[in-house]
Amino acid sequence: MSRYPFRASEQKWQRIWEERRCFEARTDPSRPKYYVLEMFPYPSGRIHMGHVRNYTLGDVVARVKRRQGFNVLHPMGWDAFGLPAENAAIQKGVHPAEWTWANIREMREQIKAMGCSLDWRREFATCDPAYYKHEQAMFLDMMERGLVYRKESWVNWDPVDQTVLANEQVIDGRGWRSGAPVERRKLSQWFFRITAYAEELLEAIDRLERWPEKVRLMQKNWIGRSEGARVRFPIDGREEAIEVFTTRPDTLFGASFLALAPDHPLAQKLAEENPDLAAFIAECLRTGMSEEVIEKAEKKGFDTGLRGRHPLAPWGAPDGLPIYVANFVLMDYGTGAIFGCPAHDQRDLEFARRYGLPVRPVVLPPDADPARFSIGEEAYLGDGRLVNSAFLDGLGVEEAKRKVIAWLEEHGLGKREITYRLRDWGVSRQRYWGCPIPVVHCEHCGIVPVPREQLPVTLPQDVDFSKPGNPLERHPTFRHVDCPACGRPARRETDTFDTFVESSWYFARFCSPWAENAPFLREDVDYWLPVDQYIGGVEHAVLHLLYSRFFTRAMSACGYLDLDEPFAGLFTQGMITHRTFRDAEGRWLTPEEVRRDESGRWVAVADGRPVEVGRVEKMSKSRMNVVDPTSIMEAYGADTARLFMLSDSPPDRDLEWTDAGIDGAWRYLNRLWRLVDERLGLLPPPGTPLPEPHTPAERELKRWTHRTIARVRDELERFHFNKAVALLREFSNHIEGFRPEGESGRALLREALEALVGMLEPMVPHLAEELWERLGHRRILAETPWPEADEAWTVAETVRIAVQVNGRRRAELELPRGCSEEEVRRRALEEPRIRRFLEGREPRRVIVVPDRIVNVVL
RNA sequence: GGCCCCUUGGCGGAACCGGUAGACGCAGCGGACUUAAAAUCCGCUGGCCCGAUCGGGCCGUCCGGGUUCGACUCCCGGAGGGGCCA
């Protein structure tokens, strides 16, 4: 029996595609464009199954669009800066550049083996100075436009590794690598002013119609707009006042204290004269200040002894409010100070109970009795009528907010304000393997940008990783420069960019990767951008996707582009999961270390002892449940792996890796191979004019062909690739059962096989090309237009109409499509089974839905 | 704690606007081919029940209610799982 020779076939077609330059894209404004992009990989070593799924999904889109007549841009590159390269340098003594480029070589071959329709001429790595020099130039442009600034801020500092850690790198208060307790330090850091676009980034989310709702919601939450008021509380006996931001100005009359963040300037100032307060503040800062930690920690405060005057005195708190420094107030949010209204805020309530402060309700729930309502252990957060609130009494919460803000504004004690949860984007990293920040610090001139003609500031190659900390700091020459402004000795910035900076504009670079004097050419980006379809994991739903949206606006502000949104369509794929296994001692085992014995139990290969089959989890090295894509592609071929990725599970859901699933895909490829192979002798030559179908079987086959073309087109359009696969399998099952009689039958069989093979190409391109060639075609499939459905043949001649009695199916009618209601009704009531239910009675009602259903109501 | 999403056979999943629930596949069972195995091909496959067979009945989309001629689909309440923000 003939088998699909995948090894020879995959090599052959990959060579032909390359020779014919099928997938090279050229800017051509006379043609409609389509830009498909998968999130570019970090070159960590080898590709994993998530990459295979990602690039398969993207390739299906690229191949379909190309054959539908679009000028398709489908590039690939490397997000090449980042920590793992430095860890390798520390652990294995390899230079980060060497490690990275070796990984790129390895992964490039692995990706090429998948047979994706990529324009490899456009490949680049972000660690290449030819890439990052443009990033440095853009940074300077943004600095000139005030989109970049430097300020002191609190960071997570790992005292052992001597570096800043991102929040995600702090696990239970300890550095993820060193295990040392993380300290909070104040450092001067570079920031991108993303908050300048907070409102615009938020408001534009509603127009991202081809983005998943989930991602849009996550970005909205992340930006976190809140409307409220800024209120001034003068301090008794002092010049300064405390500025408070609140989203509940309606509850001002319920205030019973004021609280400052531990790092609030006033708190710091008071601590200078008060050692107890200083100790308290130090304690707060040590335990970390993430919102999560604060929520769980006990609410603690330190009474400063000062008193704040209520802005609405004499009605509210005529005796003033105690001022605390409290561990649950964040300097980063609002003004770093709050007024506490325990009755209507849970944190404030916990604090008030602990320190015996008054709890005065000012919002009465709708059905509560004013005389008896009081707050227990739960603050009341809902709507209601204002009470105990002087001129606000009787108003609803929203009305009260408006009225009190108007009053505050009128009396100069406060104003309406909108704040955002979004913080400016800190991009300084005390790291070697990143893009150098192109500035110089001069004692006399301050911060001086590196002159454009001196860009790029390249990373020195000779660095020493034997000691902790940033090797750029210790480098003999890198940091010592002459000030570009005054010429006196100065210090080069040794921080490098967060790697999210590189990934914030790479999609634009792919449009003109060859441009030397500019990051990209206007004619190219104006044509190709925005990306029409972006595909990647949902884990980037906020950071990368939000930074890119900001960066695109910032680039436009600097005149590089005329564009707001980089990604018109976004698709987020699910994870690849796999069973986990543990042996009797609880050690994780890899899938290769287990097998099924004769009775079907899972046992260890090594000793035959039973293993515990654990949960299905995301593939990860720590769980030992990873399957290497290359070993699968070597054993079954790239097309098998691709087909498996597309079958069964909808692409946005998690996909469970199973050996049975791979076998199933492999078997189907061979079935297709035989389906064509065994019928080659029957078929007329390609291009034979299509005769009208003669027999019912021929008419049915024709209908299957065109209905499948139409339905597959729709499912592909909606990213329902699993359904497209199912439709093609159904179609091939039907072709298998067709026995051609005579010339017309054989011609129609060719039509069906060609449609099938043609539609398989985006999913299993090597097999499809091979079969297409065997069907006698000289023009390769990748260059052949996508099959078109003849609408006249996309509907069946007859329809099956279910006949229900009281909503339960009792019979079925086979009628010509488009029968009149009266006809259907008559035929339904004539059915013997229906007459039995009627027992001679007249039905009370008969509902007829044309071509679908009849419901007889007794 | 708030907001959002999900829950369909042994399993992954189909079912478009409320109109024949379970497409397609995996696993399983029975059969053919074979000395045998693999591969391949054919048939069956939600549960319970009646019936010699063709056939027929009842139940069934997490649970409870509702709307409707008709509900996996819409509404209310609950349970379980997941995500985001706290």
Side-chain angles (χ1 to χ4, degrees), chain A residues 36 41 137 169 171 185 191 211 240 284 342 363 433-434 450 458 472 515 521 535 636 792-793 809 816 833:
Chain A
V36 191
Q169 293 161 348
I171 298 154
R185 273 206 185 181
F191 287 85
W211 279 42
E240 63 255 76
C284 289
V363 180
W433 194 233
V450 172
T458 52
L472 292 176
L521 306 180
I535 306 169
Y636 295 93
W793 289 96
R809 186 168 66 99
R833 295 215 39 223

Side-chain angles (χ1 to χ4, degrees), chain A residues 68-81:
Chain A
Q68 285 175 344
F70 289 92
N71 189 17
V72 170
L73 174 58
H74 186 211
M76 179 59 68
W78 310 97
D79 189 13
F81 275 134

